[in-house]
């Protein structure tokens, strides 16, 4: 499976600021996703990060709040914009590796606290 | 759309006993069912998965069963050990969803020494 890293691993931010989270994979992957996991909750898909084009967002998530980039097959960023305490969550990237057409592998997550 | 329900939300078993977690899904077109284990402070780790053309799959102490008619699938952990303590998530993928999966609500498993 691919090795997935995320930066930062955690951060504490002030209300109204923005944070960009990076996801780096050590090999080319076919698909990359971003999830949110609110405290004590399950995982909710934010969007599919498309290489070279705009991300595909799920219902309830918009590009202005969660802009996503994916400039190549191994890297993606998620920005959480104009943050409020309700954005305090773990943000996870996942990938579908070329060798496994279905299986999603997750990064270690970024734990965000907004004050 | 697809909905995945998971039970129980918490489960406590004696070390060495078995643990069973159950999930149901709503969309009969779902064809891939992974299970993830999430330890505190870490991302979810795939532990086993099953496809709709298979009824059961085993990997050492863990097994998953799938009943397509009833639209439910279960995770079985035998001879539980302290390191099995974690949150477990089931998930289901729609055939046409281009790898998008829907997660259950999670089960917090505690192993009593």
């Amino acid at each position: 499976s691919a090795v997935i890293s995320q930066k930062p691993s955690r951060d504490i931010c002030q209300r109204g600021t923005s944070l960009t989270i990076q996801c780096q994979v050590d090999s080319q992957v076919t698909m990359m996703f971003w999830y949110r996991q609110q405290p004590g909750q399950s995982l909710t898909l934010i969007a599919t990060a498309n290489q070279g084009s705009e991300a595909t967002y799920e219902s309830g998530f918009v590009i202005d709040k969660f802009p996503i980039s994916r400039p190549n097959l191994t890297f993606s960023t998620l920005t959480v914009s104009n943050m409020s305490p309700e954005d305090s969550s773990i943000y996870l990237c996942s990938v579908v590796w070329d060798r496994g057409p279905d299986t999603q592998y997750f990064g270690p997550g970024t734990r965000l606290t907004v004050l | 759309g697809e909905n995945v329900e998971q039970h129980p939300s918490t489960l406590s078993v004696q070390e060495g006993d078995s643990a069973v977690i159950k999930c149901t899904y709503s969309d009969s077109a779902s064809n891939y069912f992974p299970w993830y284990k999430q330890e505190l402070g870490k991302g979810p780790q795939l532990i086993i998965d099953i496809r709709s053309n298979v009824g059961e799959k085993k990997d050492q102490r863990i097994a998953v069963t799938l009943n397509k008619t009833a639209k439910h699938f279960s995770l079985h952990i035998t001879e539980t050990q302290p390191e099995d303590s974690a949150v477990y998530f089931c998930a289901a993928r729609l055939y046409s969803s281009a790898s998008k999966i829907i997660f259950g609500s999670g089960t917090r498993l505690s192993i009593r020494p």
Side-chain angles (χ1 to χ4, degrees), chain A residues 31 33 35 37 40-45 48 58 90 92 96 101-109 111, chain B residues 31-32 36 38 40-46 49 51 89 93 97-101 103-106 108:
Chain A
M31 302 191 75
F33 302 91
Y35 287 82
Q37 187 176 28
Q41 302 297 312
S42 187
L43 289 81
T44 301
L45 181 63
T48 303
E58 297 300 306
I90 299 172
L92 296 143
V96 174
D102 298 316
T103 307
Q104 285 192 32
Y105 296 94
F106 283 84
R111 183 178 295 272
Chain B
N31 65 349
Y32 173 66
Y36 289 86
Q38 187 175 29
L40 191 63
K42 297 184 178 180
Q45 177 190 6
L46 180 73
D49 55 13
R51 300 182 189 282
F89 293 98
R93 193 204 79 163
S97 71
S99 297
K100 173 182 169 181
I101 57 176
F103 284 84
S105 54
R108 182 173 298 276

Side-chain angles (χ1 to χ4, degrees), chain A:
Chain A
S1 61
V3 175
I4 308 165
S5 60
Q6 285 187 234
K7 290 182 180 179
S9 58
R10 58 177 61 232
D11 208 341
I12 300 173
C13 300
Q14 294 297 319
R15 181 195 299 260
T17 63
S18 298
L19 175 72
T20 296
I21 302 167
Q22 299 179 3
C23 179
Q24 179 74 55
V25 194
D26 68 345
S27 60
Q28 292 185 354
V29 294
T30 55
M31 302 191 75
M32 298 181 79
F33 302 91
W34 286 98
Y35 287 82
R36 180 176 72 183
Q37 187 176 28
Q38 294 176 302
Q41 302 297 312
S42 187
L43 289 81
T44 301
L45 181 63
I46 298 172
T48 303
N50 299 310
Q51 193 254 331
S53 65
E54 189 172 292
T56 304
Y57 290 85
E58 297 300 306
S59 176
F61 298 96
V62 295
I63 188 171
D64 290 347
K65 176 66 175 177
F66 297 101
I68 289 170
S69 77
R70 188 181 171 194
N72 56 51
L73 294 176
T74 62
F75 184 78
S76 178
T77 66
L78 167 75
T79 299
V80 186
S81 303
N82 188 24
M83 288 183 286
S84 66
E86 292 72 35
D87 294 319
S88 297
S89 294
I90 299 172
Y91 292 87
L92 296 143
C93 71
S94 74
V95 304
V96 174
W97 199 31
D98 284 350
R99 297 185 183 182
D102 298 316
T103 307
Q104 285 192 32
Y105 296 94
F106 283 84
T110 295
R111 183 178 295 272
L112 171 62
T113 301
V114 184
L115 302 177

Side-chain angles (χ1 to χ4, degrees), chain B residues 35-72:
Chain B
W35 285 88
Y36 289 86
K37 174 184 181 182
Q38 187 175 29
E39 297 175 311
L40 191 63
K42 297 184 178 180
Q45 177 190 6
L46 180 73
I47 56 172
I48 196 168
D49 55 13
I50 191 167
R51 300 182 189 282
S52 57
N53 59 347
V54 175
E56 183 176 3
K57 183 177 178 181
K58 287 185 179 180
D59 183 2
Q60 300 182 344
R61 295 187 297 107
I62 60 174
V64 58
T65 59
L66 171 64
N67 183 326
K68 288 171 55 180
T69 302
K71 293 190 285 187
H72 67 71

Side-chain angles (χ1 to χ4, degrees), chain B residues 11-20 80 109-113:
Chain B
L11 179 61
S12 178
V13 301
Q14 193 75 34
E15 182 178 350
D17 288 350
S18 296
V20 180
T80 53
L109 175 63
S110 300
I111 308 300
R112 303 190 303 272

